[in-house]
């Protein structure tokens, strides 16, 4: 059925400061229009039907955006 979890398939859920900003089946995700502030970035691996893996598979990092360094 559509959306059913399949062995070996899934995608990423990307959270920025607690708000989901993207879902992707690629290794790279671009988040546009971020301000020059500190962020908490979380990425979780989810099944094709959006269920979280058990145990959870993800990572959280803290970063600060600097537009001058990013070439904006």
């Amino acid at each position: 059925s559509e959306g059913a979890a399949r062995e070996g398939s899934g995608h990423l859920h990307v959270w920025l400061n607690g708000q989901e900003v993207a879902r992707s089946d690629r290794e790279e995700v671009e988040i546009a229009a971020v301000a020059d502030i500190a962020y908490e970035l979380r990425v979780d691996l989810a099944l094709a039907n959006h269920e979280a893996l058990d145990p959870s598979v993800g990572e959280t990092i803290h970063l600060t955006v600097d537009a001058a360094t990013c070439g904006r």
Side-chain angles (χ1 to χ4, degrees):
S1 72
E2 185 176 336
R6 293 185 327 268
E7 182 76 26
S9 69
H11 60 277
L12 304 173
H13 286 206
V14 181
W15 303 82
L16 194 61
N17 290 351
Q19 180 178 356
E20 187 174 28
V21 294
R23 294 180 180 173
S24 179
D25 61 355
R26 300 178 188 269
E27 291 181 15
E28 295 180 13
V29 176
E30 184 174 326
I31 302 170
V34 293
D36 286 0
I37 61 171
Y39 291 97
E40 178 181 275
L41 177 68
R42 171 126 188 116
V43 178
D44 293 310
L45 184 59
L47 298 171
N49 63 0
H50 301 287
E51 289 180 15
L53 296 175
D54 186 19
S56 176
V57 176
E59 189 72 35
T60 300
I61 63 168
H62 294 90
L63 60 113
T64 301
V65 172
D66 179 356
T69 302
C70 295
R72 291 192 283 155

